[in-house]
Amino acid sequence: MSALFDQFILESRDLLTEAGDSLLALERDPADRAAVDALFRAFHTLKGATGLFDLAPFTRLVHAGEDALAAVRDGRRVLTPELADRLFRALDQSARWIDALEAAGTLPDDATEAARRLGAALGDDPGDDPGVGPGGDPGAGPAPGFEWVETLDGSRREAAGLTGGQTLTALAYDPDPECFFNGDDPLALCRRIPDLRLLLVEPAEPLPPLGALDPYRCLLRFRALSGASVAEVTAVFRTVPDQVRVAPVTPPPPAPGPEGAGSLADAMLRAQERILDLPGEPEEREARRAAVARSAGNILAAQGVTVDRAALLAACADAGSLRRFVETARAPAAGGGTPPTVGRRALRVDPERLDRLMTLVGELTVAKSQLPPLVRQAGDDALGQGLKAVSAQFDALVGELQHAALRLRLLPLSRVFEPLPRLVRDTARRLGKTVALELDGGETEADRDILDALGEPLLHLVRNSLDHGIESPDRRAAAGKPDSGTIRVRAFQEKDGVVVEVVDDGAGIDPAAMRAAACRKGLLDEAAAAALDDGEAVRLVFAPGFSTAAGVSELSGRGVGMDAVRAAVERAGGRVEIASTPGAGTRVRLALPLTLSITRVVVVEAAGELFGVPVALVEGMRRVPRADIRALKTAESVVLGGRVVPLLRLRRLLGFPEDPRGRAAERVLVAGLGGAGGTVALVVDDVRERADVMLRPMHGVLRGLRGYSGTAVLGDGRLLLVLDLRELL
Amino acid sequence: MSAHPAAGRSPRVLVVDDAATVRAYSRQVLEGDGFTVDEAVNGIEGLERALAEPPDLLVVDVNMVKMDGYTMLRVLRRDPALRDVPAIMVSTEAKDSDREQAFLAGANWYIVKPARPDALTAAARLLTGRPPAGRPDAEGTP
């Protein structure tokens, strides 16, 4: 491939990214002249570049975009959300073509058709959707809204009597939820479709729990294929023209059978895409996403395509983005050794080699800390002096080495910010809300493990803000707020960690409603709920079991998956905090360590054994006089800082015999568990030093043990079990 | 989250089926292809085994007397350590609705019984990140 062509690929990618950013900016602020100019220029430059290589369909598509943008720039046309959608589609298509050009050197076979369809849509005045409605051309591939035709599986296609290549009429009927009151009977209408080949009835959105289901609302949508003409099908639905879309479609040839691992892999990847779009409870869908991400990653790995697992997980937001991710990931491999273009200026190192290096550095740190005791033993003679000097030097060097190695793995947080603008734009549009996203501090760096751990919770938080935080424009107007909501995501370095904040100016969380919900859900009794201050009540969103509580979203709360967010952040050794002002908004703050490899623990002793408690959880250490401990049956408690805190004995928790000493004052570690866990006072035999340790997960049979997050070796070689307090209690 | 099966170790598959013949068959097929196989005779035992040692892949039968495959997967997907373990569901039913049920319950792939040996191993290899048989250097996409 010529250097010129390489240059074209490189430049086009830059232009497409720039165009995407400008389009987002322009949508936020239609008066942004700079954005419209940049966007126009990107399309214009692409038109010129594609013209050099005889890529007629590509040129045609970007030309159509350029024309549409010229009209916007000159005030002849308004950038409606529909037009923005179409421009985004044109950009997505262009990006796929660039991938295909890089991989195969030519445009795919359907390029002419796609260019015609997308180009025509850009030329249209905004209004009805492109290629949809009577008059769309057969053979145009799936029109927007009809992608499901493409994903029909073999037996369904067979049932519809399709062998591929045959043109049918597809119908998408999304009945108005209130349609029963208009006298409509959606199912009866569908039954009247002539030559009905296939009828799919699906929930239009995940169904609410049975108790909240309103039987007078139609929550279903209908998808059908018919052998009759578009006109015949349209005629059946003449009373509800606003709720149906009818278009001729040519279903794709049947999916490849199980022969050949390539096609099996394709079929399995498609199944993963479908799984993402299945309805379900938020937690259920979250778990499916995790399993889909791991499965898809493994399928790609089996084919020799390595991908960034965090980016893959982020891409598992929906079927479309997973498909795009897979296409992008595979494109370089298909090109036969074309080097990937990501991280062009960066040196690419296999993460496993970095991990190995980190492990070695960690072990070196531990080995190093065995020196000082030897130095002390050596005394003050020449040998001792020499040892002391070497030890100090060693100390400094290992510290620097550790720092340098750590930095190798640092990546800017902008990587996890990347999917956010599009997520906000698409979700806000779907929900009918206006939301501005402000990103700040993307240059802040953190370890890639932390980035991996952060990606999912961050998506979750932003989605939550969109869904439950930011109100609809009319509710905002009624509250005297600007129509457009704002979500700010801000990252910065703090002490030895990173902090990411998600702040919205939405409805906030009502503490009273949270208390009521917690009682209803049986998490707290009335008295306990009433005893919570407002901050504590708001923090209930993190309590396990609260997030799935029915009706949380009615409270304009944000229960969905907050428990999962907390769990993910805490697994990474971090903390989550939330503060909310009803009516004014919510701030969620994630504080994470810079790296996962090294954990700072407080060493405690019980029954002669050493245990570690992550410093992140420790709120303080006390001596509590025996007389201050109140016993109620078998439960003990103590008053700390004016609050009653449950008191637990580590010996009992771990099944050791009671401390025979009968001390006058107990050594107590005060630990904050977050969420419903609250604060506990943990009685230990002794509190020792703080130490930085390399936490190793439990292996083999030890993995079954509950209550421990791993083992670590102390500087002097003693073994330490690191406690997972939340699991233990 | 251990996304990659540890290098140099053969991926561990947990086969959950109440039919001894099917278990023996699956074991033979999978071990023959270099997998390590663990067995459980119903959903409850499957959960216990999986919790004790999270496998790299689950192969779960639908119809079992004590806790069926759907329920087992649903419960398992709630456990932080197990929620992302790829799962294949095996069933005698070939209907789309059954396939859908399996995916809803948390499966990542669906195989109709009796599973052809190569269908089982090919899917197991892909879901555990091993290159297809006879192709040590996995090729790119078609």
Side-chain angles (χ1 to χ4, degrees), chain A residues 155-156 272 274 298 330, chain B residues 96 100 104 108 127 130 141:
Chain A
S155 49
R156 277 195 167 136
Q272 306 313 304
R274 276 185 51 213
N298 284 353
R330 282 173 153 192
Chain B
D96 276 350
E100 199 79 354
L104 277 169
N108 296 97
L127 284 175
R130 287 176 64 198
T141 53

Side-chain angles (χ1 to χ4, degrees), chain A residues 153 155-156 258-269 271-272 274-275 278-280 283-284 286-288 290-292 294-305 309 313 330 333-334 352 452 456 548 564 571 700-701 703-704 706, chain B residues 1-5 7 51-57 74 77-81 83-88 94-97 99-100 103-109 116 118-119 122-132 135 138-142:
Chain A
D153 52 46
S155 49
R156 277 195 167 136
E259 297 78 32
S263 55
L264 175 65
D266 288 348
M268 289 175 90
L269 285 167
Q272 306 313 304
R274 276 185 51 213
I275 291 169
L278 291 176
E283 276 193 0
E284 214 176 324
E286 211 48 56
R288 276 189 215 134
V292 161
R294 180 161 161 194
S295 299
N298 284 353
I299 294 167
L300 289 170
Q303 297 188 302
V305 182
R309 298 269 170 163
L313 186 59
R330 282 173 153 192
E352 275 164 26
D452 284 357
E456 201 182 354
T548 49
R571 259 200 309 279
V701 286
R703 267 183 101 151
R706 299 191 76 79
Chain B
M1 260 198 290
S2 59
H4 318 263
L51 280 168
E53 198 176 347
D56 298 306
L57 176 69
R74 282 220 161 79
R77 289 292 185 229
R78 287 173 177 272
D79 188 281
R83 66 184 203 150
D84 67 341
V85 177
I88 298 176
K95 288 196 301 289
D96 276 350
S97 54
R99 199 177 295 264
E100 199 79 354
F103 288 154
L104 277 169
N108 296 97
W109 190 239
R116 292 210 326 260
D118 55 340
R125 276 172 174 264
L126 285 167
L127 284 175
T128 53
R130 287 176 64 198
R135 253 188 285 175
E139 57 177 49
T141 53

Side-chain angles (χ1 to χ4, degrees), chain A residues 188 263 273 355 435 446 486 523 534 538 654:
Chain A
S263 55
E273 288 165 15
D355 289 347
V435 183
T486 305
L523 293 174
D534 284 358
V538 167
L654 299 174

